[in-house]
Amino acid sequence: MSMSSCFWKLYAAGLWNNPALLADFPKLSLPQWQFLLQKAEGIRVQGLVIDGITLLSKDLQPSEEFAEQCVMSMVKETRRHWDNNKVIADLFHRWNEVGVHPVLLKGQGYARMYERPFRRVIGDIDVFVCKKEWERAMEVVNSLPLDNEEMPDIGKHIEFFYRSKAVELHRYSAKLRHKPKSNEAYQEWSEAELSGSTAGFYINERGEYAEEGEWITVPPQGFDIVYNFIHLWEHIYSCMPKVRALADWMLLLHHSHGSIDKVELEKRLRQFGLLRHWQAIGCFVVKYMGMNPDEMPFYDSKYEKAADRYLNFFNQNIVGLRPKVETGNFLVRKTKSMCNYLLNTRCTFGVLPTERVIKNILTTLYCGVRGVIKKN
């Protein structure tokens, strides 16, 4: 069994707490276990992989030395979660005091869906603020003792560091780069849905999810399901897919099952040109990730060939079958791989690659040629 197959089995088993997904799992050596953990840490899903490891039968479990390494990794992540939650509660308190109504995107809001919330490895803190409250929100930010002197502004959001945590303050929740003509409609819908949201949860002074404390507003369910997939798809479309976002999407659908307005969902997916991509990726997670087809809206088995292509795409762009070798020859090989992706993107995803992907290919080619020249 390949290392990529081992990775996906552990990932899916940990996600669904289902040992049956670990059938035929092989006995691995310590270097192989370390390789898998290193890959999982690199794409921030070590919590799920470690949970998958605990579901293995005793004869397949790794050594005590490796088990201790896993425990220390998760202790570190749990502390980071508490610290992140404290910063979120602090910022929301400051904004709420001046009449700003922020909305937490992704992140800790999705962590609550996991059987063990602290297993979702944290990233930066994404917060949306509507247009009419933007200036007041920025006044609060400018009054903070920030860790950075300059705040990069990329249009969609500004970034700052507060109490050692990266925070992105969003003007827009997302942009539909794959379908610019629909972007304006999405922005109007996003602004209305997020500015009127009342959904949320409490974080107490210890950074724990609680029955009382600071109220943290999150997107309404109907919007969040579409937004969540847009976030996942835009990363895939940019050739930078996120396995953590894939888990978020599956869990959001799992927990929303039975209360999803499928008519509204289909309307939005068609409006934003995403329905067939939803069905293709949906078929992928059902076939390879243990997702229940009954919990996947618009599931269609006719996309099974697309599911196979997505598996190859994720293996090539995320999991990786070989350790990185920083040489000119490697970069040339990487460029060939990226060019193959460029040629196959339309038949795989039904769209042309973004300008960013093309720039990445050209940059990698330049670095590869430069590396070979320098070496010789």
Side-chain angles (χ1 to χ4, degrees):
M1 184 180 292
S2 67
M3 285 292 96
S4 59
S5 295
C6 290
F7 170 85
W8 289 121
K9 280 181 174 288
L10 292 169
Y11 168 89
L15 179 66
W16 302 115
N17 191 30
N18 185 359
L21 296 174
L22 294 168
D24 303 321
F25 197 89
K27 182 75 174 178
L28 300 181
S29 65
L30 180 59
Q32 287 175 316
W33 279 120
Q34 290 174 332
F35 176 75
L36 284 176
L37 183 61
Q38 180 185 18
K39 286 294 180 183
E41 289 177 340
I43 54 179
R44 297 181 176 182
V45 291
Q46 63 265 40
L48 294 178
V49 170
I50 290 171
D51 274 353
I53 292 172
T54 64
L55 298 174
L56 287 168
S57 59
K58 192 173 182 180
D59 60 310
L60 295 177
Q61 290 282 339
S63 65
E64 289 186 7
E65 174 189 354
F66 182 78
E68 289 178 4
Q69 184 179 346
C70 292
V71 170
M72 292 305 297
S73 174
M74 293 321 302
V75 167
K76 179 181 177 182
E77 283 305 318
T78 300
R79 288 172 178 166
R80 291 182 66 215
H81 261 272
W82 284 332
D83 291 342
N84 236 40
N85 280 358
K86 289 176 185 177
V87 171
I88 291 170
D90 181 3
L91 288 171
F92 271 63
H93 178 74
R94 292 172 184 269
W95 278 318
N96 286 326
E97 274 192 324
V98 297
V100 173
H101 303 89
V103 180
L104 182 68
L105 303 174
K106 304 174 294 180
Q108 308 301 78
Y110 289 166
R112 297 175 304 122
M113 301 185 299
Y114 287 66
E115 187 168 338
R116 300 176 182 87
F118 299 134
R119 289 303 202 239
R120 187 190 187 276
V121 180
I122 65 170
D124 49 25
I125 299 169
D126 294 273
V127 180
F128 170 86
V129 172
C130 65
K131 293 176 182 177
K132 64 182 180 181
E133 297 177 353
W134 180 263
E135 290 186 7
R136 274 181 290 160
M138 283 303 302
E139 288 175 4
V140 172
V141 173
N142 290 326
S143 70
L144 297 173
L146 301 180
D147 300 331
N148 55 312
E149 294 182 2
E150 295 183 3
M151 291 183 286
D153 188 339
I154 67 168
K156 186 175 78 170
H157 64 253
I158 64 159
E159 183 178 11
F160 60 91
F161 288 82
Y162 177 55
R163 292 168 57 179
S164 301
K165 303 298 179 184
V167 183
E168 291 183 357
L169 186 60
H170 286 251
R171 295 184 179 91
Y172 314 106
S173 58
K175 283 192 174 182
L176 303 182
R177 289 175 291 171
H178 71 285
K179 198 163 186 180
K181 290 182 180 179
S182 298
N183 186 58
E184 185 175 345
Y186 171 77
Q187 298 307 333
E188 291 179 3
W189 182 57
S190 174
E191 183 83 8
E193 289 286 311
L194 293 178
S195 60
S197 180
T198 57
F201 60 95
Y202 289 105
I203 293 178
N204 65 22
E205 66 276 4
R206 294 186 297 276
E208 300 167 338
Y209 303 107
E211 296 297 323
E212 57 183 21
E214 191 66 37
W215 180 255
I216 310 299
T217 306
V218 297
Q221 183 193 84
F223 172 84
D224 209 15
I225 290 172
V226 178
Y227 164 68
N228 174 280
F229 184 73
I230 288 174
H231 174 248
L232 170 64
W233 168 248
E234 289 294 327
H235 275 285
I236 291 174
Y237 181 57
S238 299
C239 203
M240 297 185 296
K242 287 190 173 183
V243 175
R244 185 180 56 185
L246 196 66
D248 292 341
W249 182 53
M250 288 188 279
L251 286 178
L252 184 58
L253 292 175
H254 171 68
H255 288 288
S256 304
H257 179 61
S259 61
I260 297 174
D261 184 342
K262 292 185 179 180
V263 174
E264 174 68 11
L265 176 59
E266 182 177 4
K267 171 188 171 182
R268 296 299 176 182
L269 291 176
R270 288 187 183 280
Q271 181 183 20
F272 305 140
L274 291 169
L275 181 58
R276 59 199 172 100
H277 306 307
W278 173 289
Q279 292 177 296
I281 301 174
C283 197
F284 162 69
V285 297
V286 167
K287 186 174 182 178
Y288 293 108
M289 302 293 109
M291 181 79 185
N292 185 340
D294 293 334
E295 297 180 349
M296 175 56 63
F298 320 123
Y299 172 75
D300 192 334
S301 60
K302 77 176 184 181
Y303 286 94
E304 284 208 355
K305 288 186 178 179
D308 297 338
R309 291 196 293 267
Y310 269 108
L311 179 65
N312 292 331
F313 172 76
F314 274 95
N315 282 340
Q316 291 174 9
N317 289 278
I318 293 184
V319 180
L321 301 179
R322 308 186 191 96
K324 278 192 174 182
V325 181
E326 297 298 339
T327 66
N329 288 336
F330 167 77
L331 289 170
V332 170
R333 291 198 304 272
K334 180 65 175 176
T335 304
K336 288 176 66 177
S337 173
M338 293 175 77
C339 285
N340 286 333
Y341 167 77
L342 177 66
L343 294 172
N344 293 323
T345 296
R346 188 166 185 84
C347 66
T348 303
F349 305 126
V351 293
L352 291 173
T354 62
E355 181 182 351
R356 183 173 185 175
V357 172
I358 296 173
K359 284 182 178 178
N360 284 345
I361 292 173
L362 295 176
T363 301
T364 308
L365 177 61
Y366 167 75
C367 292
V369 173
R370 186 180 178 188
V372 171
I373 294 173
K374 187 175 181 180
K375 185 176 180 181
N376 296 330

